[in-house]
C-alpha cells in the first residue's frame, strides 16, 4: 500500500490526469490521417472500399499493439517498478491486456481480409506466407499474454514480451513490403513505407496507451511516486514523438512525390492529391497540439514546466523552476 502522506492533493491529481481533451483530439486526428492514408493507397492501387476499410482497421489494430508494447517494455523503466509505482504499472498492464484482447480479435478478422487481398493480387509467394506466419505468431503470443495474468515484474521486458514487440515490428515491416509489392515498387520505396508505418504505429499505440491506459490508471492512484513515474513515461513518449513527426512528414512527402510528382496542379486537381494536402494539414494540427497540450506539459520533467518537488517529493525529479520549455 502506498504511504498516505505521499498522496498528491486532489487539485494536483486533476492537474496531472484530467487534461486529456487535447490528447483525445490528437488521437482523432491521427486516426483521420491514417484513414486518409489508407484510402490514398487503396485509390492508387485500385483496391475495393471493403479492402481499404479492412486494411485501415488492420493497421490501426497493429499500431495499437505495437505502440502499446513499446510503452509496456520501453517507456516503463525498471525504476518505476521499484519506486512505489509498482501498483500503478500493474494496473496499466492489466488494462492494456483487456484492450489487447479486443485488438487481437480485430487484427485477426481484418488480417484475413488483407491477406486474402494480397493472395488474390500477388499470389501465395514467400512474402505473403511470411506475413501470414508472423501475424499468426503475433496473434498467438499477444492473445496468450492478454489472457494470462502474471505479476508485472514477470511480464516487464520478459523474453515473451520482447518477442511480441519484435513480432509486432516485423508484421508492420512485412505489411509495408507486401503493400509496395502489390504495385511492383522498388526497395527504396519499401524502406520509406516501412518507416511511415512504423512511425504511425508508434504514435497511435502510444496515444491509445496514454489516454486509455496511463490516465485512468493514474487517476485512481494520485500519489507522488505515480505522478513521477507517469510524468517520466510521458516524457519518454514525447521524445519519440519529436522523431515521429518529421519521419511521417518526410516519408509521406517522398511517397507523394513518387506517386504524384512535384507539379502543384496534380495535388490541387485530383482527389488523391487533395488527400495528401489534407495530411499535411493534419500534421500541422498535430504539431500545434503537441506544443500546446497542457497534459503533455503537466508534470513532465522539463525545465520550467513542472517542479515535482511541489508534490512533496521528487528525489528522481530533474525539473527546475527556471528555464523555458522546449514544448
Ligand atoms: C499523422 C500523420 C500521418 C499518418 C498517421 C499517416 C498514415 C498513413 C497510413 C496508415 C498510410 C497507409 C499505408 C498503407 O496502406 O500501406 C499512409 C499512406 C500515405 N501517406 Fe501518410 N500518414 C501521415 C502523414 C503523411 C504526410 C504528412 C504525407 C505527405 C506529405 C503522407 C503521405 C502519404 C502518402 C502519399 C501515402 C500513400 C502511399 C502510397 O500508397 O503510395 N502521410 N499514411
Amino acid at each position: 500500500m502506498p504511504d498516505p502522506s505521499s498522496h498528491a492533493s486532489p487539485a494536483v491529481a486533476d492537474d496531472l490526469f484530467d487534461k486529456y481533451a487535447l490528447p483525445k483530439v490528437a488521437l482523432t486526428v491521427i486516426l483521420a490521417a491514417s484513414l486518409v492514408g489508407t484510402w490514398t493507397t487503396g485509390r492508387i492501387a485500385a483496391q475495393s472500399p471493403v479492402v481499404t476499410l479492412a486494411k485501415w482497421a488492420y493497421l490501426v489494430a497493429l499500431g495499437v499493439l505495437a505502440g502499446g508494447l513499446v510503452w509496456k517494455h520501453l517507456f516503463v523503466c525498471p525504476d518505476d517498478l521499484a519506486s512505489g509505482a509498482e501498483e500503478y504499472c500493474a494496473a496499466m498492464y492489466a488494462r492494456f491486456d483487456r484492450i489487447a484482447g479486443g485488438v487481437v480479435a480485430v487484427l485477426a478478422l481484418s488480417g484475413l481480409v488483407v491477406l486474402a487481398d494480397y493472395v488474390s493480387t500477388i499470389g501465395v509467394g514467400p512474402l505473403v506466407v511470411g506475413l501470414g506466419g508472423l501475424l499468426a505468431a503475433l496473434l498467438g503470443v499477444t492473445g496468450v499474454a492478454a489472457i494470462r495474468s502474471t505479476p508485472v515484474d514477470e511480464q516487464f521486458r520478459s523474453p515473451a514480451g520482447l518477442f511480441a514487440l519484435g513480432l509486432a515490428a516485423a508484421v508492420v515491416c512485412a505489411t509495408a513490403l507486401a503493400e509496395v509489392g502489390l504495385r511492383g515498387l522498388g526497395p527504396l520505396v519499401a524502406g520509406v513505407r516501412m518507416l511511415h508505418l512504423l512511425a504511425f504505429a508508434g504514435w497511435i499505440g502510444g496515444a491509445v496507451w496514454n489516454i486509455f491506459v496511463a490516465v485512468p490508471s493514474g487517476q485512481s492512484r494520485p500519489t507522488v511516486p505515480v505522478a513521477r513515474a507517469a510524468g517520466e513515461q510521458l516524457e519518454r513518449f514525447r521524445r519519440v514523438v519529436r522523431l515521429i513527426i518529421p519521419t511521417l512528414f518526410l516519408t509521406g512527402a517522398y511517397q507523394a512525390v513518387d506517386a504524384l510528382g512535384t507539379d502543384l496542379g496534380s495535388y490541387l486537381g485530383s482527389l488523391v492529391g487533395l488527400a495528401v494536402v489534407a495530411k499535411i494539414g493534419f500534421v500541422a494540427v498535430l504539431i500545434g497540439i503537441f506544443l500546446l497540450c497542457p497534459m503533455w506539459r503537466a508534470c513532465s520533467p522539463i525545465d520550467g514546466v513542472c517542479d515535482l518537488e511541489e508534490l512533496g517529493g521528487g528525489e528522481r525529479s530533474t525539473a527546475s523552476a527556471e528555464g523555458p520549455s522546449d514544448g
Side-chain angles (χ1 to χ4, degrees):
M1 282 289 285
D3 172 6
S5 66
S6 70
H7 275 252
S9 72
V12 172
D14 283 354
D15 279 354
L16 290 177
F17 294 113
D18 283 351
K19 295 178 174 174
Y20 59 108
L22 275 177
K24 281 181 179 164
V25 176
L27 176 59
T28 308
V29 176
I30 297 168
L31 282 168
S34 62
L35 179 58
V36 171
T38 315
W39 177 84
T40 307
T41 296
R43 184 95 182 187
I44 295 173
Q47 281 164 348
S48 80
V50 174
V51 171
T52 298
L53 267 184
K55 183 134 68 66
W56 181 57
Y58 167 86
L59 290 175
V60 169
L62 189 52
V64 171
L65 276 190
L69 288 166
V70 167
W71 198 306
K72 181 172 179 175
H73 296 292
L74 301 182
F75 296 163
V76 174
C77 276
D79 274 354
D80 301 338
L81 301 179
S83 65
E86 316 83 298
E87 202 196 309
Y88 168 62
C89 294
M92 285 199 299
Y93 275 29
R95 207 172 261 275
F96 179 64
D97 282 347
R98 286 198 292 279
I99 293 173
V103 169
V104 161
V106 173
L107 187 58
L109 287 175
S110 56
L112 282 176
V113 179
V114 170
L115 280 173
D117 180 57
Y118 294 155
V119 169
S120 71
T121 320
I122 48 179
V124 190
L127 186 56
V128 175
V129 172
L131 173 60
L134 287 169
L135 184 59
L138 175 65
L139 291 170
V141 173
T142 47
V144 168
I147 293 166
R148 287 178 64 200
S149 93
T150 42
V152 66
D153 51 344
E154 282 177 28
Q155 291 186 56
F156 177 63
R157 295 187 190 171
S158 65
L162 295 176
F163 182 55
L165 177 53
L167 275 175
V171 172
V172 174
C173 292
T175 304
L177 279 178
E179 280 298 319
V180 168
L182 288 177
R183 308 213 306 266
L185 302 172
L188 183 56
V189 186
V192 166
R193 181 69 67 91
M194 277 182 203
L195 281 177
H196 202 71
L197 288 185
L198 283 171
F200 154 68
W203 204 355
I204 197 158
V208 165
W209 183 293
N210 186 28
I211 295 167
F212 297 106
V213 176
V215 168
S217 306
Q219 263 174 336
S220 50
R221 295 169 187 77
T223 66
V224 171
V226 168
R228 190 184 300 125
E232 290 177 0
Q233 287 169 23
L234 200 51
E235 181 53 16
R236 287 176 203 123
F237 175 50
R238 275 180 61 91
R239 272 188 222 121
V240 173
V241 171
R242 282 190 200 117
L243 291 176
I244 284 176
I245 293 174
T247 303
L248 273 174
F249 186 80
L250 292 174
T251 53
Y254 180 91
Q255 295 177 106
V257 170
D258 193 51
L260 296 173
T262 52
D263 178 17
L264 194 60
S266 48
Y267 291 87
L268 300 179
S270 70
L271 269 181
V272 168
L274 288 173
V276 171
V277 175
K279 292 186 84 176
I280 295 173
F282 287 138
V283 171
V285 171
L286 287 166
I287 292 174
I289 293 174
F290 182 75
L291 295 176
L292 291 174
C293 180
M295 177 172 175
W296 282 340
R297 285 161 173 267
C299 220
S300 59
I302 307 169
D303 283 354
V305 172
C306 172
D307 190 344
L308 290 176
E309 300 292 340
E310 286 168 8
L311 298 174
E315 57 278 6
R316 275 169 59 200
S317 168
T318 55
S320 81
E322 292 170 12
S325 156
D326 63 354

